[in-house]
């Protein structure tokens, strides 16, 4: 199946997929039907693998098609058959039939999934015809489980099916499919009733059918988009309803989005897309909180939110709509006043004019035509600069006139005074902004007319050229004042935006790195904006009270003041409460951005707590898994020995001699003691982990504790406990368990024929008890973890759960003692138990009795 041209790239096979809306719709039958048609046209077709599932019609459809023998795989004693990919590649047909694309191969196969085998066939230049049901598509797993209650274990990545050269939908109505099932054409008779009542309910089949149609519609839509792009088609093809809603961040946004959602819901498979146009200067016309809120609304309505940058809003919206092949644009009626719309037009009207083939739906709302109150043009300047600007506008022309008259009392050239006065107007614009500059240009016009144009002393002009020059001066002065004022405002806004962006970027870095907290954010808010107090509050429900998460106070009096001056909502359950000066709109936007960061901090904190809780659960799960794994073996061993001994002793048809009976009785006793130790250790570990151990500390002699503890192993222990040792302050019963566990561990690891030495010696404030063995010892790197539960330290005897040292360490800590591991000189391990003396005052362990 490779190219015959030398050096040519081998042809890749084409993939055809029969997509079933549900099991039993006949996709395998349809695949075999296509195979017959292709073979009739002279195509070399083989069956790589087809599953008939015992259906007679499907088996008959195989007919005399050539079948490549399957490969047999033995797994856990069971012979399984799989697709023999290598055999199909060697046969090299033009077309291969491979059923059930989502199938999971048996362990030991060439690939884990059958779709990977199909990929190899395609790479080998073989065309493949395959089948898959919609419930096996990976992206629909959760949806299918919600519909049917069944979790699909075998899935195939959507991309594998999407990249098929041809997809054929095989579908039946729910009623037809249920009839096929009832007639025994799908499952065996014993499975029919259960299937009809569960998976094959009419509602389930209808929903699966719709999923298949919608998924296939998406794939067809992708193909349509590629075709339009390849053929440079820019016009709208209304093959699918797509509603674009143009939002501005204003209050009308929710109304527009909900109207657009209702329109989109009229046709199945429709899409809702919200678009917000960000001006090219990067300064948004709406607050971040408002934009975020409208994003949430769009997503809650199963829509998507998009932000595009554009110099002209109407053009950007229409270009976006054409780019997504939209069929309708929903836009609100302009909020500008009617006189402004009359002179400057409106965005909605411009969108309607540019749409050309896209329907435009105008939505009326409460703010339509009411006009938007613009921010004060001079609000970015300080009061001092505004006062100086108006003073310059009033006094500057008078002072300049006096200077010019003093220099030349009878001017005949108007050009020089015009330049000086124009420079004055620019200076006033830089100092005081637009309105003082406009006033300065008008006052300058009067001064020029009165003092420097013939006839002087009157507001008349003798020469038309001078009148034209004065008119041009006023126009140029106003234009220059407007440009300079706009540039000054933009400069201030840019500085402010850069400062806010820098602050928020630093804050974001600290939040993401985990170095910042909610307290740091409110503190920075209070410092940056000069607020008396800032409180970050949250609540657990709409009707619950607000709780303060973090608070910052700049003044002593604000700490006890609870009347909020400003409230800024972060989301439904979080808000910022500000006290102090009234915030201008620009500062409020920055505070809302801070609030968004605070929300991230709270979410980060919640995720950390969730992660900590998950880590604790993971640790508990690991402990439980280790416990179950150990218990499943180590508890079963003594139980099996006990069961065997009991069966041997009680068997009615077996006569035992005294020696065999004694051996079985010893086995029974030893296994029972081993089982008791295991259960005691488990109970002790449980009590330690739950804090249920309550030691009773009193003066105790080690002579009363150690011999009792080592009694079960007395034959393997050399005891060296002097009689004159001082009393120790401990719980005799718990210390006995500590020594017993250590001695048991030492005896188990000591070489055969050697004895474990148990010796005690006194120190200035305590008594040391040493359990010494000459076994293999423990490496230094393992000594840090040897007291962790279920650490067997290489012990494979099955004599314990790896709990002895963990229990010994826990019980020792409970009675105020310590356990440490040291190397035995010459090889082995020495466990050192340090117990405080009774006559030395030491702090009692937490929870101990007096």
């Amino acid at each position: 199946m490779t190219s015959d041209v030398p050096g040519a790239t081998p042809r890749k096979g084409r993939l055809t997929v029969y997509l079933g809306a549900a099991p039993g719709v006949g996709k395998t039958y349809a695949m075999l039907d296509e195979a017959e048609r292709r073979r009739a046209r002279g195509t070399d077709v083989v069956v790589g693998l087809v599953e008939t599932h015992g259906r007679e019609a499907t088996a008959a459809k195989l007919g005399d098609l050539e079948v490549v023998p399957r490969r047999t795989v033995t797994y856990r004693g069971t012979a399984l058959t799989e697709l023999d990919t290598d055999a199909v590649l060697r046969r090299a047909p033009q077309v291969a039939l491979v059923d059930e694309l989502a199938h999971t191969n048996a362990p030991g196969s060439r690939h884990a999934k059958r779709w990977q085998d199909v990929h190899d066939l395609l790479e080998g230049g073989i065309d493949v015809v395959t089948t898959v049901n919609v419930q096996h598509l990976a992206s629909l797993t959760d949806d299918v489980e919600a519909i049917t209650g069944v979790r699909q274990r075998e899935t195939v990545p959507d991309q594998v099916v999407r990249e098929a050269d041809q997809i054929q939908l095989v579908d039946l109505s729910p009623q037809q499919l249920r009839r096929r099932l009832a007639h025994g054409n799908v499952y065996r008779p014993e499975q029919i009733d259960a299937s009809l009542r569960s998976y094959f309910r009419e509602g389930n089949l209808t929903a699966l059918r719709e999923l298949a149609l919608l998924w296939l519609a998406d794939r067809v839509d992708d193909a349509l988009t590629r075709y339009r792009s390849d053929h440079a088609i820019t016009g709208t093809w209304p093959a699918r309803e797509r509603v674009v809603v143009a939002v501005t961040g204003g209050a009308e946004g929710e109304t527009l989005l909900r109207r657009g959602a209702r329109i989109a819901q009229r046709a199945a498979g429709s899409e809702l897309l919200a678009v917000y146009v960000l001006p090219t200067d990067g300064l948004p016309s709406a607050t971040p909180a408002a934009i975020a809120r409208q994003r949430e609304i769009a997503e809650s309505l199963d829509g998507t939110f998009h932000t595009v940058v554009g110099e002209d809003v109407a053009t950007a919206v229409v270009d976006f709509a054409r780019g997504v092949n939209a069929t309708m644009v929903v836009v609100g009626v302009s909020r500008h006043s009617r006189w402004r719309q009359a002179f400057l037009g409106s965005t909605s009207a411009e969108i309607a004019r540019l749409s050309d083939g896209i329907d435009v739906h105008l939505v009326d709302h409460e703010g339509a035509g009411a006009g938007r109150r613009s921010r004060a043009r001079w609000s970015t300047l300080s009061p001092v600069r505004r006062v100086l600007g108006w003073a310059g506008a009033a006094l500057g022309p008078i002072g300049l006139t006096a200077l010019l008259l003093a220099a030349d009392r009878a001017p005949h050239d108007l050009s020089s005074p015009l330049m000086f006065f124009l420079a004055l107007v620019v200076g006033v614009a830089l100092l005081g902004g637009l309105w003082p500059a406009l006033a300065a240009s008008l006052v300058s016009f009067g001064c020029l007319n009165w003092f420097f144009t013939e006839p002087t002393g009157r507001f008349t002009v003798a020469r038309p050229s001078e009148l034209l020059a004065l008119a041009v001066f006023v126009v140029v002065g106003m234009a220059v004042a407007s440009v300079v004022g706009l540039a000054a405002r933009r400069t201030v806004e840019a500085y402010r935006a850069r400062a806010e962006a820098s602050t928020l970027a630093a804050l974001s870095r600290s939040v993401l790195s985990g170095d910042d907290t909610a307290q740091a954010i409110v503190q920075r808010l209070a410092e940056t904006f000069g607020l008396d107090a800032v409180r970050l509050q949250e609540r657990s429900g709409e009707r619950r009270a607000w709780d303060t998460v973090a608070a910052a106070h700049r003044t002593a009096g604000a700490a006890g003041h609870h009347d909020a001056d400003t409230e800024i909502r972060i989301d439904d359950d979080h808000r910022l409460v500000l006290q102090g000066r009234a915030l201008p709109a620009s500062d409020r936007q920055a505070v809302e951005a801070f609030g968004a960061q605070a929300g991230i901090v709270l979410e980060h904190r919640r995720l950390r707590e969730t992660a900590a809780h998950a880590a604790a659960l993971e640790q508990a799960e690991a402990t439980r898994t280790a416990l179950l794994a150990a218990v499943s073996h180590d508890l079963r061993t003594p139980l099996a020995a006990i069961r065997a001994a009991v069966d041997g002793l009680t068997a009615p048809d077996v006569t035992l001699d005294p020696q065999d009976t004694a051996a079985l009785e010893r086995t029974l006793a030893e296994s029972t003691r081993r089982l008791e130790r295991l259960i005691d250790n488990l109970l002790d570990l449980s009590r330690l982990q739950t804090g249920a151990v309550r030691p009773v500390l009193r003066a105790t002699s080690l002579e009363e504790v150690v011999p009792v503890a080592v009694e079960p192993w007395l034959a393997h222990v050399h005891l060296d406990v002097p009689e004159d040792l001082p009393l120790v302050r401990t719980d005799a019963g718990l210390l006995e368990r500590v020594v017993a566990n250590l001695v048991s561990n030492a005896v188990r690891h000591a070489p055969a024929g050697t004895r474990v030495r148990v010796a005690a010696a006194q120190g200035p404030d305590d008594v040391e008890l040493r359990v010494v063995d000459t076994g293999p010892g423990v490496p230094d790197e393992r000594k840090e973890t040897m007291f962790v539960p279920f650490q067997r330290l290489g012990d494979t005897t099955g004599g314990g759960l790896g709990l002895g040292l963990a229990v010994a360490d826990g019980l020792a800590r409970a009675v105020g003692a310590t356990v440490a591991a040291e190397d035995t000189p010459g090889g082995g391990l020495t466990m050192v138990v340090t117990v405080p003396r009774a006559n030395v005052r030491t702090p009692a362990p937490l929870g101990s009795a007096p």
Side-chain angles (χ1 to χ4, degrees):
M1 298 304 298
T2 58
S3 173
D4 296 331
V5 180
T9 303
R11 184 187 76 86
K12 184 177 179 180
R14 295 175 58 84
L15 178 63
T16 300
V17 177
Y18 280 88
L19 177 65
V25 294
K27 59 188 182 300
T28 304
Y29 192 93
M31 177 180 69
L32 293 171
D33 192 53
E34 178 176 345
E36 289 183 351
R37 291 195 302 271
R38 292 198 183 197
R39 190 178 64 167
R41 295 195 298 266
T43 304
D44 183 14
V45 181
V46 302
V47 176
L49 187 146
V50 167
E51 298 287 1
T52 63
H53 296 291
R55 297 165 188 164
E56 296 180 0
T58 305
K61 195 68 175 176
L62 274 169
D64 57 349
L65 288 172
E66 179 183 349
V67 179
V68 176
R70 301 188 185 188
R71 179 175 53 87
T72 302
V73 179
T74 302
Y75 179 65
R76 294 183 177 179
T78 303
L80 305 174
T81 60
E82 299 288 356
L83 170 67
D84 195 337
T85 307
D86 294 328
V88 177
L89 288 172
R90 288 193 299 269
R91 170 64 175 77
Q94 291 178 287
V95 179
L97 307 184
V98 181
D99 207 3
E100 297 185 355
L101 185 63
H103 172 76
T104 300
N105 294 329
S109 300
R110 178 175 184 172
H111 294 297
K113 304 290 289 188
R114 185 168 291 166
W115 64 263
Q116 295 170 311
D117 296 327
V118 168
H119 179 268
D120 289 350
L121 297 180
L122 295 173
E123 291 295 327
I126 301 174
D127 294 346
V128 176
V129 183
T130 187
T131 65
V132 68
N133 282 331
V134 68
Q135 70 264 24
H136 296 299
L137 296 173
S139 67
L140 301 179
T141 302
D142 294 337
D143 295 333
V144 172
E145 183 179 12
I147 294 169
T148 65
V150 178
R151 185 74 178 181
Q152 298 296 326
R153 297 181 179 179
E154 294 188 329
T155 60
V156 60
D158 289 46
Q159 193 62 28
V160 174
V161 184
R162 281 186 178 274
E163 291 178 353
D165 298 278
Q166 186 176 359
I167 301 177
Q168 296 284 346
L169 179 64
V170 183
D171 186 23
L172 286 176
S173 70
Q175 296 79 10
Q176 287 177 305
L177 183 54
R178 284 172 59 85
R179 281 197 297 271
R180 285 199 65 199
L181 186 67
H183 292 160
N185 296 330
V186 179
Y187 293 144
R188 294 188 299 272
E190 62 270 19
Q191 297 176 288
I192 294 175
D193 289 341
S195 299
L196 287 172
R197 290 195 304 267
S198 57
Y199 194 92
F200 286 83
R201 293 196 302 267
E202 188 169 331
N204 290 359
L205 297 177
T206 302
L208 290 174
R209 191 184 194 192
E210 183 177 14
L211 277 180
L213 291 170
L214 291 177
W215 189 91
L216 190 60
D218 283 335
R219 198 268 183 185
V220 173
D221 191 65
D222 292 340
L224 178 61
T225 301
R226 286 195 299 269
Y227 180 85
R228 282 163 48 84
S229 176
D230 294 342
H231 293 78
I233 299 173
T234 58
T236 303
W237 285 9
R240 182 177 184 177
E241 193 75 22
R242 281 191 181 86
V243 180
V244 172
V245 180
V247 297
T248 63
E252 75 282 358
E254 182 171 354
T255 301
L256 301 182
L257 288 169
R258 297 196 183 281
R259 180 67 60 84
R262 287 199 299 272
I263 295 173
Q265 290 170 358
R266 294 173 184 170
S270 299
E271 290 185 38
L272 175 68
L273 303 94
V275 59
Y276 170 74
V277 180
L278 184 67
T280 53
D281 58 8
L283 300 175
S285 58
T287 64
I291 298 173
R293 172 63 179 162
Q294 293 187 2
R295 179 187 295 273
E296 293 175 359
I297 294 173
E299 292 174 351
S300 69
L301 297 171
D302 295 329
T304 56
F305 193 93
H306 307 266
T307 300
V308 298
V309 178
E311 184 175 353
D312 181 71
V313 174
T315 302
V317 169
V318 174
D319 288 344
F320 174 81
R322 286 203 181 99
V324 299
N325 198 26
T327 56
M328 179 179 291
V329 175
V330 177
V331 62
V333 176
S334 177
R335 290 182 290 165
H336 294 301
S337 59
R338 284 172 171 53
W339 68 266
R340 180 167 180 177
Q341 294 182 46
F343 286 99
L344 301 178
S346 66
T347 302
S348 55
E350 187 67 9
I351 290 175
R353 186 183 68 82
L354 297 173
S355 61
D356 190 21
I358 303 176
D359 295 339
V360 177
H361 186 83
L362 288 178
V363 178
D364 197 8
H365 51 87
E366 293 182 358
R372 288 187 294 178
R373 185 173 57 189
S374 61
R375 294 174 291 180
R377 297 284 186 175
W378 41 267
S379 60
T380 58
L381 300 176
S382 65
V384 175
R385 288 186 59 180
R386 292 199 299 271
V387 171
L388 292 177
W390 285 107
L395 303 178
I398 298 175
L400 181 59
T401 300
L403 289 175
L404 292 175
L405 291 177
D408 186 0
R409 292 185 176 274
H412 300 287
D413 186 6
L414 191 60
S415 60
S416 296
L418 284 174
M419 295 302 296
F420 283 115
F421 276 98
L422 184 59
L424 174 66
V425 172
V426 172
V428 171
L430 291 173
L431 181 62
L434 175 61
W435 295 110
L438 293 177
S441 65
L442 294 175
V443 175
S444 298
F445 173 81
C447 292
L448 287 168
N449 191 2
W450 186 273
F451 293 103
F452 297 99
T453 57
E454 297 292 343
T456 58
R458 288 184 296 176
F459 289 108
T460 57
V461 180
R463 291 192 291 270
S465 59
E466 292 182 347
L467 178 61
L468 178 61
L470 290 175
V472 171
F473 164 78
V474 173
V475 173
V476 172
M478 290 185 175
V480 169
S482 299
V483 172
V484 172
L486 178 62
R489 289 195 306 277
R490 291 302 188 194
T491 300
V492 172
E493 292 173 356
Y495 278 127
R496 182 185 296 275
R498 185 172 67 179
E500 293 172 356
S502 176
T503 303
L504 291 174
L507 189 61
S508 299
R509 285 194 299 270
S510 60
V511 168
L512 294 175
S513 63
D515 298 332
D516 218 329
T517 63
Q519 181 62 38
I521 290 179
V522 296
Q523 187 68 40
R524 191 169 300 181
L525 263 177
E527 294 173 355
T528 303
F529 297 98
L531 299 169
D532 295 335
V534 179
R535 292 198 302 275
L536 176 61
Q537 297 181 331
E538 67 176 359
R539 61 181 179 182
S540 56
E542 184 176 353
R543 298 183 179 180
R544 299 294 182 89
W546 290 97
D547 297 322
T548 298
V549 177
H553 308 283
R554 295 183 64 249
T555 60
H561 184 60
H562 298 288
D563 294 331
D565 296 331
T566 305
E567 175 186 322
I568 294 180
R569 286 292 184 98
I570 300 173
D571 52 43
D572 293 339
D573 296 325
H574 298 91
R575 70 177 182 179
L576 282 171
V577 179
L578 315 177
Q579 293 172 335
R581 67 183 182 90
L583 292 177
S586 56
D587 284 352
R588 187 181 178 94
Q589 291 184 17
V591 172
E592 289 176 348
F594 270 88
Q597 291 294 333
I600 295 175
V601 168
L602 295 176
E603 180 66 14
H604 190 60
R605 176 189 297 179
R606 187 188 65 80
L607 291 176
R608 284 203 306 267
E609 293 174 352
T610 303
H613 182 63
L617 293 177
E618 183 179 0
Q619 183 178 3
E621 179 65 17
T623 301
R624 186 181 70 86
T625 302
L627 173 63
L628 291 176
V631 166
S632 65
H633 176 267
D634 293 316
L635 283 183
R636 187 182 296 128
T637 300
L639 285 174
I642 293 172
R643 176 64 180 271
V646 171
D647 289 345
L649 291 172
T650 59
D653 55 344
V654 176
T655 302
L656 300 175
D657 57 32
Q659 292 182 345
D660 292 337
T661 301
L664 289 176
E665 289 175 348
R666 286 194 302 272
T667 299
L668 186 60
E670 291 175 0
S671 298
T672 302
R673 283 196 298 270
R674 177 185 296 180
L675 187 59
E676 287 176 347
R677 288 198 302 272
L678 293 175
I679 294 175
D680 287 343
N681 281 334
L682 287 172
L683 292 176
D684 287 340
L685 181 65
S686 175
R687 292 167 61 203
L688 287 170
Q689 290 181 342
T690 59
V693 175
R694 298 288 180 177
V696 178
L697 304 183
R698 56 172 55 94
T700 305
S701 172
L702 287 183
E703 286 186 301
E704 302 174 3
V705 175
V706 178
V708 177
V710 303
E711 183 179 1
W713 307 276
L714 198 56
H716 305 282
V717 174
H718 173 71
L719 196 59
D720 183 11
V721 180
E723 297 180 356
D724 57 350
L725 285 176
L727 299 178
V728 294
R729 180 175 172 80
T730 187
D731 184 307
L734 296 181
L735 183 61
E736 180 185 324
R737 297 298 312 281
V738 173
V739 178
N741 280 350
L742 296 180
V743 172
S744 171
N745 188 71
V747 170
R748 189 166 60 253
H749 291 88
T754 63
R755 303 178 74 181
V756 173
R757 181 171 177 266
V758 180
Q762 73 177 62
D765 300 323
D766 49 44
V767 175
E768 285 188 354
L769 183 69
R770 292 176 172 266
V771 180
V772 184
D773 70 67
T774 56
V778 176
D780 291 338
E781 62 271 12
R782 299 296 302 275
K783 290 177 182 176
E784 298 180 358
T785 60
M786 62 188 301
F787 295 106
V788 177
F790 310 111
Q791 300 295 315
R792 298 284 291 272
L793 300 178
D795 177 24
T796 59
T797 63
L801 297 175
L803 293 177
L805 294 180
V807 171
D809 183 62
L811 292 176
R813 292 175 183 273
V815 300
T818 60
V819 179
E822 298 179 358
D823 292 330
T824 301
L829 184 68
T830 298
M831 304 300 297
V832 182
V833 183
T834 304
V835 189
R837 291 171 54 174
N839 58 348
V840 178
R841 298 185 61 86
T842 57
L846 182 63
S848 61

